[in-house]
């Protein structure tokens, strides 16, 4: 698969892999175990436009989050360690 195809089918190919039991991470493959999450895997595997729309909305929501810095938060160099 060329890079142009993988960019166009971003998300759809990932979700189709989950339907085939070929999830890259065990935790992600577990999306097939829940009724609600399995529904979304099936929807995203068959509807590229729906996945792209929902992905874009999620990224917009994330961009609205404010990063907490001192004194209310911290930016960690190592996520496993609290300073």
């Amino acid at each position: 698969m060329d890079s142009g195809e993988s960019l166009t089918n971003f998300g759809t190919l990932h979700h189709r892999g989950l339907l085939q039991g070929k999830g890259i991470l065990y935790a992600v493959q577990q999306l097939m175990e829940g009724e609600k999450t399995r529904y979304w895997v099936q929807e995203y595997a068959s509807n590229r436009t729906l996945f792209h729309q929902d992905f874009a909305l999620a990224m917009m929501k994330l961009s609205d989050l404010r990063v907490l810095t001192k004194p209310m938060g911290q930016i960690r160099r190592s996520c496993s360690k609290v300073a």
Side-chain angles (χ1 to χ4, degrees):
M1 170 182 342
D2 65 52
S3 61
E5 182 181 359
S6 61
L7 288 175
T8 303
N9 292 317
F10 169 69
T12 305
L13 296 175
H14 167 72
H15 289 92
R16 287 180 184 165
L18 294 176
L19 291 174
Q20 297 170 1
K22 298 179 180 178
I24 295 172
L25 299 172
Y26 174 80
V28 178
Q29 186 63 49
Q30 293 305 294
L31 292 170
M32 293 300 296
E33 299 302 315
E35 186 177 327
K36 290 179 182 178
T37 52
R38 182 176 44 248
Y39 168 81
W40 286 108
V41 169
Q42 293 167 335
E43 289 296 307
Y44 292 150
S46 64
N47 189 336
R48 180 179 64 193
T49 301
L50 177 64
F51 174 78
H52 285 184
Q53 289 173 342
D54 286 353
F55 185 83
L57 287 173
M59 291 296 106
M60 288 169 52
K61 286 181 181 180
L62 283 172
S63 71
D64 286 338
L65 297 177
R66 300 289 183 246
V67 175
L68 295 177
T69 57
K70 289 183 179 180
M72 297 183 66
Q74 61 182 246
I75 299 173
R76 299 181 190 176
R77 293 187 188 275
S78 173
C79 291
S80 64
K81 298 178 182 174
V82 177

